[in-house]
Each structure stands twice: as C-alpha cells, then as structure tokens.
C-alpha cells in the first residue's frame, strides 16, 4: 500500500488514464517529468503520435488540435488540473471528467493501440508499488533504453513510441494507422499527407506502415502513396529506371531518404519491388531487358518468393502487393494505368 499521499494521488491519475484505455482511448499517452527542483512530479496528457524519442530524450511534439494539459504534484497537487471538484474522485470518476473536459484530446486519442496500452498496464503495476515513471527531468538528462522512476533503484522499460528522424533540415515523426478518414478516396488519400507544408515545422508527419491493421484499404492506400511518390516526387516513369536507381540511391538526396524511411521502415519495400519486377518481366514489349538484367531479376524474384511465400500465404497474412492471389486486390492502379503522355509509371 502506498503511504505517501502525493504518490498515491499521482498514481490515481495514471489509473484514470488506464480506465480511458479500457474505453478505447488507447492513444492517450503520458509524458512524465520531474520539476527543476527535483521535488515535484509532472504528468502531461498527450497523444501517442505527439510523443517521440529522438535518440537521446523524449520529444513532445506540439499538437495544434489538442489541449495543453499538465498536472503537477506541487502545491496544487491535490487538485487535478486545477479542478477543485476532482479532489476526492476515484480513478474512474477522474477519467469521466477528463473525457468530458478535454474533448479535442479525447477525440484524437480514440484509437486502438494495444502495444501502448499493454506497456501502460505494465508501467502502472510498478507505479502502484510507489515508483512513479520519470521520462524527463529538467534538472538532469534522462536517456537510455529504459526510463527512470521516483525510486533511485527502480527503472521501467521504454514505452513503445517510435523515433523521430531527420532528413536535411527537416524532422519527421511517424503517425500511427489508421490514416484513412471515412470520406477519403483511398487511391489518393496519402497524397495530402505526403505533400505536407514543409514550412509549418519543425516536425512533419509521415504515415507508419499499416500492416498490423489487416485493412485492405489502408494497405492499398499506403502502397498507392509509394507509387505516387515514385512518380511525382522521384520523377520515374519506367520501372527499370526506378529499380536501377534503387540499387544505389543517392545518399545526399532528401527525397530518396524520405522515401526509404517511410516505405522501408520495417524492411517492407521488397514487397513492392517484387510486384514491380513481376510487371516488368511480363511486359516484354515495353521492357526489352538485356539478358544479364533479365536473369538477375528472374533469380531475384524467385528467391523472394521462396523466402516469403510461406510467411504470407500459409499464415494468411493481409493482402500484399506481390502475394495477392488472383487479380490485384490491392488495386495498385496508378502503376497499371499507363497513359500515352508517359506521366505514369508503367
């Protein structure tokens, strides 16, 4: 049992977040810190995507669409967020007030995030033993694989947030799926996200690979976005020219670095390459490959199929640009819709 009243009340706030996770608000995240004096514990409520690791510290990316919400265990620590009517609340009652009083935050946080919700349950179990999590300390640097706690000898494994990455003068962060909105045309839904304003920084969103969703529309839209980028941003209208460049992409190209970060974040780019190679080998009229190149790609695609077929087909994985069965269920239309002007990759 926790005897320190400040730690007990702070843990109750974490328990209220846990209650909201159980109600489906699993993107509701916490950024916890110690005050410069080292005497007060702080907890800011944010959205999972807006809290990222930069390799050395936690970066709280500002979100214009949500409220700024922070609780401190300092002099006003008995009043959560300054609410005098919440002083005696249980975790469930406090959760109800958070849900009602921070509507923009809750609307943004209403998303399945089993990985973070699972980590939070693990962390809460340690906090309920009197060890509050500390992700940032203003009076010292907190870094490394694990995060510290208010107890010197106890640490907690890092939460599953992704790492921000820099390309040129720009910083990017991955946003979790689903990326599609109800009225989106999924064929071009990612274009707006990929063509975001680079002057609105300092951080820019990038779509994270949606394979875990198992949603054919999300996965199809993701790969359509790749085809759009290859054509509209990298400027390729022929598969063979793109594949040649891909084997040794220019290291100093910001556009190439962005492409590889987004569409090869988990080694998934080979799945699209396999699809492109198959299209290229089948269209012998357009692609009259030299024998060494044809032999290379024939062997490459055979090796890819042998290595990956059991994983995707036998395990009934979600639709895939290459292992798609009969037809083209992902409807990778941009690449197949050749037009005479040559504006489309085909």
């Amino acid at each position: 049992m926790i005897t320190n009243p400040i730690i007990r009340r702070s843990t109750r706030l974490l328990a209220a977040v846990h209650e909201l996770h159980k109600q489906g608000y699993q993107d509701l995240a916490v950024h916890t810190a110690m005050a410069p004096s080292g005497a007060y514990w702080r907890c800011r409520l944010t959205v999972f995507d807006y809290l990222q690791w930069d390799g050395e510290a936690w970066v709280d990316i500002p979100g214009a669409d949500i409220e700024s919400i922070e609780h401190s265990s300092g002099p006003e620590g008995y009043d959560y967020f300054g609410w005098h009517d919440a002083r005696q609340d249980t975790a469930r009652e406090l959760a109800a007030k958070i849900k009602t009083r921070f509507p923009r935050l809750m609307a943004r946080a209403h998303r399945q995030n089993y990985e973070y919700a699972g980590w939070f349950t693990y962390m809460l179990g340690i906090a309920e033993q009197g060890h509050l999590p500390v992700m940032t300390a203003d009076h010292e640097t907190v870094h490394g694989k694990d995060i510290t706690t208010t107890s010197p000898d106890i640490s907690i494994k890092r939460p599953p947030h992704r790492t921000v990455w820099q390309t040129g003068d720009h910083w990017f962060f991955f946003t979790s799926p689903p990326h599609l909105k109800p009225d989106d045309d999924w064929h071009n839904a990612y274009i707006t996200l990929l063509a975001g304003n680079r002057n609105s920084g300092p951080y820019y969103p990038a779509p994270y690979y949606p394979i875990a969703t198992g949603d054919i529309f999300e996965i199809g839209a993701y790969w359509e976005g790749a085809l759009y980028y290859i054509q509209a941003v990298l400027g390729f209208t022929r598969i063979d020219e793109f594949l040649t460049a891909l084997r040794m992409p220019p290291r100093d190209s910001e556009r190439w670095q962005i492409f590889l970060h987004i569409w090869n974040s988990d080694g998934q780019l080979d799945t699209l390459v396999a699809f492109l190679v198959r299209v290229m080998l089948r269209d012998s009229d357009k692609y009259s490959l030299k024998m060494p190149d044809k032999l290379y790609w024939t062997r490459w695609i055979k090796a890819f199929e042998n290595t990956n077929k059991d994983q995707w087909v036998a395990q009934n994985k979600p639709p895939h640009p290459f292992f798609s069965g009969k037809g083209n269920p992902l409807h990778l239309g941009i690449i197949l819709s050749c037009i005479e002007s040559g504006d489309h990759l085909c």
Side-chain angles (χ1 to χ4, degrees), residues 25-63:
Y25 298 92
Q26 294 177 352
D27 254 5
L28 181 61
V30 297
H31 186 194
T32 59
M34 294 300 295
S37 64
Y40 303 133
W41 181 79
R42 295 171 174 172
C43 180
R44 181 157 58 251
L45 302 186
T46 185
V47 175
F48 180 80
D49 284 343
Y50 293 164
L51 186 59
Q52 301 272 336
W53 177 254
D54 72 356
E56 295 184 357
W58 295 98
V59 178
D60 197 4
I61 298 169

Side-chain angles (χ1 to χ4, degrees), residues 260-294:
L260 294 173
H261 267 291
I262 295 176
W263 284 286
N264 205 30
S265 58
D266 296 295
Q268 69 270 27
L269 184 57
D270 275 357
T271 65
L272 181 64
V273 171
F275 173 78
L276 297 178
V277 170
R278 182 168 59 190
V279 172
M280 180 177 66
L281 292 176
R282 288 176 176 176
D283 192 351
S284 57
D285 291 337
K286 181 177 179 63
Y287 298 103
S288 53
L289 300 176
K290 295 180 179 179
M291 187 54 65
D293 291 332
K294 185 174 183 179

Side-chain angles (χ1 to χ4, degrees), residues 5-39:
I6 294 297
I7 294 180
R8 184 171 62 247
R9 293 186 63 77
S10 298
T11 303
R12 190 177 304 161
L13 173 57
L14 296 176
V17 173
H18 180 60
E19 288 293 328
L20 291 165
H21 284 174
K22 292 191 290 185
Q23 296 177 35
Y25 298 92
Q26 294 177 352
D27 254 5
L28 181 61
V30 297
H31 186 194
T32 59
M34 294 300 295
S37 64

